[in-house]
Amino acid sequence: MPGGARTFLLLAPALVVIGVLFLGGLGVAVLRSVGYMPLIGLTDPSLDAYAALLSNRDFYRSLALSLHISITSTLIASVIAVGAALLLRRGFAGRGIVSFLFQLNLTVPHLVGAIGILYLFSQSGSFARLGYQVGLIDQPGQFPALVYDPFAVGIILQYVWKEVPFIGLVVLAQMQGIGADYEAAARSLGARPWQAFRHVLLPLILPGLLASSAIVFAFTFGAYEIPALLGQSHPQALPVLAYRLFTDVDLAARPQAMAASILIAAISGVMVWAYVALTRRRVGG
Amino acid sequence: MTDVTLKDLTLRYPGAEAAAVADLSLRIASGQITALLGPSGGGKTTILKLIAGLLRPDAGDIAFDGQSVLPLAPEARGAVMVFQSQLLFPTMSVADNVGFGLRMRGRPKPEIDRRVTEMLDLVQLPGFGPRRPAELSGGQQSRVALARALVTEPRVLLLDEPLAGLDAHLREEMRDLIAALQRSTGVTTLVVTHDQEDAAALGQAVALMLDGKIVQHGPPEALYGEPATAAVARFFGNPNAVPGRAAGGVFHSPLGPLDLPRDWPDGPGLLTIRPEAITLGQGGGNTVEMEVATTAYLGTHTRLTLHRDGVTLIAHLPPDAARGVEKGGRVTVGLPSRALWLLPDGPA
Amino acid sequence: MGRALRTTLGTVLILWLVLPLIPLGLWSFARGWRWPDLLPPVWTLDAWAYALSQTGGVLQSLWTTIAIALAATALSLLIGIPAGRALGLHRFRGKALVELLILAPVIVPGIAVVFGVQTVFVSLGLTQSAMGVILAHLIPVLPYTILVMAAVFSGFDTAQEDQARSLGASPAQAFRHVTLPAIAPGILVAGLFAFLVSWSQYILTLVIGGGRVETLPLLLFGFVTSGRNDIAGAIAMINILPGLLILFVTARRLTGRSAALPGILRP
């Protein structure tokens, strides 16, 4: 069998499945968002759903909230993850425990983590109770609102909890691949420890750091169940808004739900592009 | 000009059974190239890292000009290490690599630019500044690494296997370049190598390290011709060791009495002679008849394995001279007395 | 960084990593745990008894979740192993595009495609059925399996197959006796993690299953929002279990050191 045909046969089933389910799903969503579905008698495409969505103040508040959630979570998780990777690279008491917990944490479903955060940080949660026991507060309402709150603190805490291990392990693997010698060379040439990190190690780990951050950004931007559980009822994160529109009793809201999902896809698509661009341009190649 | 003294240095890596460096003492003469020679994996790189301050010894002291440098961080020591793999920073241009040390010290940009240009000229890479390290050949990378180290005007230059991985003609070019740069800067230089030829060619002094100990330290000629132990002789490709006893300037051995070049203290010893010093027929005084066990033509020379009375000698003869020597035959070989050397460590 | 500082930071990190899991475990054994008690006043196995009873619905949901995850994993391996081989070993035109297509579903959130998929599945009668949910789970699970298998195959030397062929093996025999044993650990990892990806799906199950296919995450969400913290705690513990098991299995079988997670991670 010629190589090309063989390659094609090996790939064909996978491409069909992904093509039909993923691209097909996206495509149908696009068509429905512009109201073009000949099968159900819609033959007159229009951008009404987008117009309706984009003229809705709630949409912008949801978009802003979702961007706030993913940008803040990604930044905080990235910084802590780099610190944690630096810590894990060297020996310290408890290093084995941390690396076990990192990996355990990766396998814990987001929803479980979100419930843990809820039980810890809600106004009747463990920290509020601790606050009462040490005499800081008298009743639950005095504890700062960290879940169901306007700043999405609980959601961000959950994402940071889950994504520090993710980014951390990617960066750690990259640091271990680079080894300690580049920094040693920099130190030998006169760099202080911070300079060696800033000028030599950081540029070297940047591709992996940015690539994993891009994945985290896209995930935290589009995940549904965490903001659905830990978020305020108004405004809602964009995926929650999209799902509400999708399940609205008024079927006219459906195209708007599709339009919202397409916007989520577009913004995360930019992240896919960034990821690919970053992983292609590997250092030293 | 800085001399470097290592005193009773000991380092054990965490979790390792044996110490990487144990009780090592060495004095590296100022303003010279000293070659630290030894088999691969013998802890030589560890010694460079200790001197550079990249590792801390468990015990012992390192002094530059008599002053301990142990309290100094690597960046404050002025001992620059050039790693075997060069480790040019792939995220920076060649010029930024060379200027790195000056940038870290906060020197003004015009000065950095000027010094970088000078250094690139000096290592014969003018105009290479804007390139990326990945675009350079192995030899060019080595030269950039040298320039990057020297631009900081270090007190001590530490080179880890600078010639490994280069092919033959690049190797010689690089040797010449290192020697020339060292002469013009006068920087005290320690070169680590596993190759005796590189050590001899580069080092004004050679320190041979076997099993974690400096077994001999001196000019290369001395290590070749006057090995301190049988192990040193073997490392330099001389397996010949004949047990016997010196008495009154004569060495009594299973090969018969052999005239020594000068008076040696009487007593038991191991007589050695470099394989290439053995001649065919009469020559230089001592002649011995031996049986030819094997012959092997090796291009530049023919190697003979010679036996007699439980003694084995290896001889390297010019192929012309060895023509007609047959395996199983008997030959008379000359062991010139000026080439004989008695190992002081006795039959071990 | 000094050793003491490193140890301190490490301890903080450890506390932060385990902290959210602690109240989940406590709640699953608690009765009448009200404000402002720091610990449950009464310890009980009630929540666990409910979760593990035949009538509570948790067990049925557990079997549903397992069945769906196993089916999605099996399908993904069947389709993903050949595709992984092509991506890991072959060079071909348009490879970058194929890689992009396979990478995209890993990164693009499920909510972006699930509405469109639901629209199609409605007309095919696949919504509100386990079959539909399994197919929907393939969207994140299959690309993930392919990426893992591509990494596995890129470390496989096809010269071994050529050697087997030249020694008289048929293509099938070469695969069975040479290739398969070499990639088996990789298949195990891909399978285990494919299982986990399906296991923790939420939005795909919710939209495609339409409430009829109730996997553990959906059930869990319901118990939390209705305030049954004790039962939610127990289900959350059950939900963590496969990950924990997989961690131990992979740590033992594959590397001998800590598990083989890095490189095949997901956010």
Side-chain angles (χ1 to χ4, degrees):
Chain A
M1 205 174 350
R6 188 179 148 83
T7 304
F8 179 76
L9 281 181
L10 289 171
L11 280 170
L15 293 181
V16 167
V17 170
I18 295 174
V20 168
L21 291 173
F22 178 73
L23 292 183
L26 269 183
V28 169
V30 170
L31 290 178
R32 286 220 62 184
S33 72
V34 297
Y36 182 78
M37 287 298 280
L39 280 176
I40 55 169
L42 294 173
T43 52
D44 195 14
S46 81
L47 292 174
D48 291 352
Y50 289 91
L53 198 60
L54 296 177
S55 63
N56 185 345
R57 273 198 62 203
D58 278 355
F59 168 76
Y60 291 103
R61 296 178 68 181
S62 290
L63 178 65
L65 177 65
S66 278
L67 285 174
H68 158 68
I69 290 173
S70 40
I71 292 172
T72 313
S73 317
T74 307
L75 282 180
I76 296 178
S78 301
V79 171
I80 299 179
V82 171
L86 287 171
L87 197 63
L88 277 176
R89 188 170 63 145
R90 299 260 174 74
F92 71 97
R95 171 181 160 166
I97 305 174
V98 173
S99 94
F100 172 79
L101 288 175
F102 262 33
Q103 303 187 28
L104 170 67
N105 191 314
L106 277 180
T107 69
V108 173
H110 275 274
L111 183 58
V112 173
I115 299 170
I117 295 290
L118 178 68
Y119 291 175
L120 274 183
F121 291 99
S122 76
Q123 287 180 318
S124 59
S126 303
F127 280 114
R129 292 168 190 226
L130 197 64
Y132 176 88
Q133 301 291 347
V134 299
L136 284 174
I137 58 172
D138 296 322
Q139 44 186 313
Q142 292 171 319
F143 190 74
L146 297 177
V147 294
Y148 316 133
D149 62 306
F151 301 106
V153 175
I155 301 172
I156 291 168
L157 281 173
Q158 197 281 331
Y159 285 142
V160 169
W161 183 72
K162 267 289 281 180
E163 308 302 4
V164 161
F166 171 70
I167 302 176
L169 286 173
V170 171
V171 169
L172 179 65
Q174 206 162 24
M175 282 181 186
Q176 284 166 341
I178 292 163
D181 279 352
Y182 275 107
E183 285 159 284
R187 292 295 302 282
S188 179
L189 289 165
R192 287 189 296 277
W194 163 252
Q195 288 177 311
F197 170 75
R198 165 71 190 79
H199 294 282
V200 175
L201 186 63
L202 190 60
L204 284 169
I205 60 169
L206 207 56
L209 177 62
L210 291 178
S212 53
S213 300
I215 294 182
V216 165
F217 180 93
F219 180 85
T220 53
F221 187 74
Y224 168 83
E225 64 267 34
I226 297 94
L229 184 69
L230 296 178
Q232 272 185 307
S233 51
H234 194 86
Q236 293 168 315
L238 200 51
V240 183
L241 176 76
Y243 182 74
R244 202 193 69 207
L245 290 168
F246 184 74
T247 50
D248 203 307
V249 284
D250 178 6
L251 284 180
R254 281 264 172 126
Q256 285 188 47
M258 300 287 174
S261 78
I262 292 306
L263 289 171
I264 294 173
I267 292 174
S268 49
V270 171
M271 286 298 134
V272 179
W273 172 81
Y275 174 85
V276 171
L278 288 166
T279 48
R280 281 283 148 72
R281 201 159 41 88
R282 278 274 154 80
V283 173
Chain B
M1 299 278 218
T2 303
D3 74 65
V4 177
T5 316
L6 313 181
K7 193 161 175 300
D8 302 327
L9 272 190
T10 300
L11 178 83
R12 188 188 306 270
Y13 286 112
E17 188 116 317
V21 176
D23 286 325
L24 184 116
S25 295
L26 179 66
R27 195 158 176 278
I28 300 156
S30 113
Q32 284 194 359
I33 301 186
T34 299
L36 181 59
L37 174 66
S40 306
K44 302 191 299 298
T45 301
T46 303
I47 294 171
L48 292 191
K49 287 189 172 176
L50 284 166
I51 300 174
L54 299 169
L55 291 172
R56 289 193 61 80
D58 296 328
D61 193 23
I62 301 167
F64 292 178
D65 288 334
Q67 188 129 41
S68 174
V69 293
L70 284 187
L72 298 181
E75 65 270 21
R77 271 194 200 186
V80 177
M81 176 161 172
V82 178
F83 286 70
Q84 178 174 357
S85 45
Q86 286 107 33
L87 299 175
L88 300 184
F89 305 130
T91 51
M92 300 174 196
S93 68
V94 166
D96 285 347
N97 263 286
V98 175
F100 182 83
L102 299 176
R103 229 166 45 247
M104 293 303 106
R105 287 168 175 78
R107 298 286 174 77
K109 190 164 184 323
E111 181 198 334
I112 298 177
D113 291 346
R114 182 175 52 76
R115 295 280 292 133
V116 167
T117 312
E118 279 172 19
M119 284 316 300
L120 284 176
D121 286 346
L122 210 56
V123 295
Q124 296 145 31
L125 291 172
F128 275 62
R131 298 208 196 175
R132 291 264 145 190
E135 299 168 37
L136 304 185
S137 70
Q140 290 168 336
Q141 292 191 11
S142 299
R143 284 187 269 162
V144 173
L146 263 184
R148 183 173 74 171
L150 287 171
V151 78
T152 62
E153 296 175 338
R155 300 171 75 183
V156 180
L157 181 63
L158 306 162
L159 305 177
D160 192 5
E161 299 277 4
L163 306 170
L166 299 179
D167 52 29
H169 75 279
L170 276 176
R171 225 177 152 85
E172 282 180 22
E173 252 181 60
M174 192 68 190
R175 270 186 205 158
D176 293 346
L177 183 68
I178 292 173
L181 288 173
Q182 195 276 333
R183 261 198 312 278
S184 65
T185 58
V187 60
T188 304
T189 304
L190 183 62
V191 179
V192 152
T193 175
H194 68 278
D195 186 295
Q196 10 152 342
E197 191 186 312
D198 288 340
L202 269 176
Q204 285 141 301
V206 174
L208 177 63
M209 189 169 153
L210 296 175
D211 299 324
K213 293 203 164 33
I214 303 291
V215 288
Q216 194 167 359
H217 182 190
E221 298 83 2
L223 277 82
Y224 259 93
E226 300 167 3
T229 67
V232 176
R234 272 199 303 277
F235 188 85
F236 280 94
N238 176 7
N240 295 332
V242 182
R245 187 175 185 84
V250 175
F251 189 74
H252 299 279
S253 77
L255 300 178
L258 301 168
D259 284 338
L260 291 169
R262 57 183 169 90
D263 252 0
W264 288 84
D266 291 355
L270 273 177
L271 182 95
T272 185
I273 179 168
R274 292 204 58 86
E276 61 273 17
I278 299 178
T279 61
L280 205 56
Q282 310 287 333
N286 305 304
T287 56
V288 184
E289 196 178 79
M290 298 187 79
E291 186 187 332
V292 180
T294 68
T295 72
Y297 171 68
L298 297 174
T300 55
H301 62 269
T302 297
R303 192 183 67 203
L304 305 183
T305 312
L306 306 166
H307 281 324
R308 174 171 167 177
D309 296 325
V311 172
T312 300
L313 289 183
I314 301 294
H316 293 173
L317 298 173
D320 283 347
R323 194 164 293 147
V325 175
E326 295 281 341
K327 184 181 165 188
R330 297 186 77 80
V331 290
T332 301
V333 293
L335 308 177
S337 54
R338 64 183 154 73
L340 296 184
W341 176 254
L342 212 52
L343 296 170
D345 57 352
Chain C
M1 262 191 288
R3 203 170 180 78
L5 179 63
R6 286 210 301 271
T7 308
T8 311
L9 289 174
T11 311
V12 171
L13 200 57
I14 291 171
L15 282 178
W16 167 241
L17 287 171
V18 289
L19 211 51
L21 299 176
I22 292 172
L24 293 173
L26 291 180
W27 265 112
S28 74
F29 296 105
R31 181 190 291 159
W33 190 14
R34 294 195 187 85
W35 170 272
D37 297 337
L38 211 47
L39 287 172
V42 182
W43 298 89
T44 168
L45 288 172
D46 286 358
W48 285 96
Y50 178 86
L52 300 176
S53 73
Q54 291 300 327
T55 50
V58 179
L59 273 186
Q60 291 89 317
S61 175
L62 176 65
W63 302 136
T64 306
T65 316
I66 291 176
I68 288 174
L70 283 179
T73 302
L75 278 173
S76 289
L77 285 175
L78 208 62
I79 303 169
I81 291 173
R85 180 181 180 111
L87 280 185
L89 289 175
H90 298 196
R91 305 182 66 162
F92 52 91
R93 263 166 49 132
K95 185 171 180 178
L97 198 66
V98 171
E99 283 175 341
L100 186 66
L101 179 64
I102 289 169
L103 195 64
V106 177
I107 303 179
V108 173
I111 192 133
V113 291
V114 72
F115 298 157
V117 172
Q118 196 264 2
T119 307
V120 178
F121 277 17
V122 165
S123 53
L124 297 174
L126 282 168
T127 51
Q128 307 193 347
S129 77
M131 190 62 219
V133 172
I134 292 167
L135 287 176
H137 280 198
L138 286 184
I139 297 172
V141 175
L142 175 61
Y144 188 63
T145 311
I146 297 173
L147 293 178
V148 175
M149 288 315 299
V152 169
F153 272 109
S154 67
F156 173 71
D157 185 1
T158 50
Q160 292 183 35
E161 286 175 349
D162 296 341
Q163 177 68 77
R165 295 295 304 282
S166 84
L167 292 169
S170 70
Q173 284 175 316
F175 181 80
R176 162 77 187 78
H177 294 285
V178 175
T179 316
L180 200 56
I183 61 169
I187 294 178
L188 181 72
V189 173
L192 291 173
F193 288 95
F195 183 93
L196 266 192
V197 173
S198 167
W199 176 263
S200 26
Q201 280 312 312
Y202 187 85
I203 189 70
L204 296 179
T205 318
L206 177 66
V207 174
I208 303 296
R212 290 290 181 79
V213 182
E214 193 157 50
T215 56
L216 274 187
L218 269 62
L219 196 69
L220 180 55
F221 198 102
F223 276 109
V224 180
T225 46
S226 61
R228 290 304 303 266
N229 291 3
D230 51 345
I231 298 173
I235 302 176
M237 290 288 111
I238 297 174
N239 224 333
I240 294 176
L241 215 55
L244 205 57
L245 287 177
I246 286 172
L247 211 56
F248 282 118
V249 171
T250 51
R252 285 271 179 77
R253 289 204 47 176
L254 294 168
T255 55
R257 46 188 191 89
S258 59
L261 277 165
I264 46 169
L265 307 164
R266 68 207 170 86

